[in-house]
Amino acid sequence: MNVLVIDVGGTHVKILATGQTEKREFDSGPKMTAQQMVAGVRKLAGDWSYHVVSIGYPGPVLHHRPVADPKNLGPGWMGFDFRKAFGRPVKVTNDAAMQALGSYKKGKMLFLGLGTGLGSTLIIDGIVEPMELGHLPYKKATYEDYVGERGLERLGKKGWRKQVFGVVDRLVAALEPDDVVLGGGNAKVLKELPPGCRLGDNENAFTGGFLMWAEAPRSESPAGQAGPAVATKLRPTVRSKRS
């Protein structure tokens, strides 16, 4: 089964399919709608063969559907029928969760994506929990206003790096993870990593997207909600409470 993985970001949409070695991408931006994203992907992947689709979406997701329009893209994402638009089965999850899944090794891992905003996901013994920590109040705004793209532009590299260290320290103290992964396009701006952190790789988003369709023993989510079973490299059962 060939999988097309779509990583939707605030500045670019990146795609990769099973059997391909080079990703492809096009610009997104604050006016891009869901329909425009699909049209762009279908055109860019026109010569690729794929049977199913994984989408990493920059916002909250429930049962493979966006439940809010993204802050950094255009409107029209909630209620959009991706399966009909692509003509194939589609799984949607939070974009940070997809990259976190591809980065996961074991135990309790906190993933923070330093990009246009601040993506965040917690994985505990193979259970994926997408989070929206970036929108929580912090100082005079929110976390992502300080460590997202807006913070980098406003504070400069030196000031932004200082804020990243402070935010990571706060979140680690609150969540007590065993492992912290810093991903996202702006992670490369850091000269050094905060203590106890390791650098992620944006390519792990594609790994996570492929794993969303991997076979693994199925189990049930809390409150009787069936969650998709996903096999990681270590073969635990992974399910997202929101996807």
Side-chain angles (χ1 to χ4, degrees):
M1 178 175 65
N2 288 354
V3 182
L4 173 65
V5 181
I6 305 169
D7 184 12
V8 181
T11 54
H12 297 92
V13 175
K14 294 168 282 189
I15 66 173
L16 186 68
T18 303
Q20 302 298 320
T21 57
E22 297 292 333
K23 68 180 180 182
R24 297 174 180 177
E25 64 179 59
F26 61 92
D27 293 342
S28 54
K31 295 183 179 180
M32 188 184 72
T33 65
Q35 184 62 59
Q36 290 171 337
M37 183 278 286
V38 171
V41 168
R42 294 191 65 170
K43 179 179 179 180
L44 201 60
D47 60 336
W48 287 353
S49 174
Y50 55 96
H51 308 104
V52 295
V53 179
S54 295
I55 300 176
Y57 173 76
V61 175
L62 182 64
H63 304 309
H64 298 291
R65 291 182 178 275
V67 296
D69 283 337
K71 291 184 64 176
N72 300 308
L73 298 175
W77 297 80
M78 291 177 59
F80 187 83
D81 192 338
F82 290 100
R83 181 186 180 100
K84 181 178 180 181
F86 281 104
R88 295 165 175 82
V90 176
K91 290 183 179 182
V92 184
T93 192
N94 175 265
D95 60 339
M98 191 165 77
Q99 189 172 156
L101 179 57
S103 307
Y104 182 69
K105 293 181 177 180
K106 61 181 179 179
K108 184 178 181 180
M109 185 195 81
L110 173 64
F111 174 86
L112 298 173
L114 303 170
T116 306
L118 174 65
S120 54
T121 293
L122 196 65
I123 302 183
I124 304 176
D125 295 333
I127 306 301
V128 181
E129 180 55 62
M131 308 177 82
E132 294 294 327
L133 300 177
H135 301 154
L136 293 177
Y138 178 66
K139 295 188 176 182
K140 296 181 179 180
T142 66
Y143 281 110
E144 75 173 22
D145 286 313
Y146 283 86
V147 300
E149 186 68 32
R150 291 188 298 274
L152 178 58
E153 293 174 354
R154 185 180 75 256
L155 301 169
K157 291 181 179 180
K158 184 176 180 179
W160 179 83
R161 289 171 185 143
K162 182 178 179 180
Q163 291 298 326
V164 170
F165 270 67
V167 167
V168 169
D169 185 62
R170 282 173 175 257
L171 295 179
V172 167
L175 299 170
E176 300 182 325
D178 306 315
D179 185 21
V180 181
V181 177
L182 300 183
N186 285 336
K188 64 180 181 295
V189 178
L190 294 169
K191 283 187 174 181
E192 57 181 305
L193 297 179
C197 296
R198 61 184 171 96
L199 190 63
D201 188 328
N202 284 345
E203 302 303 309
N204 289 338
F206 296 124
T207 302
F210 293 131
L211 288 171
M212 286 167 64
W213 291 94
E215 295 182 0
R218 186 177 179 80
S219 61
E220 295 298 314
S221 299
Q225 299 176 0
V230 181
T232 73
K233 298 172 185 176
L234 299 177
R235 305 298 295 176
T237 299
V238 178
R239 62 187 186 276
S240 169
K241 295 180 182 178
R242 297 189 185 180
S243 58

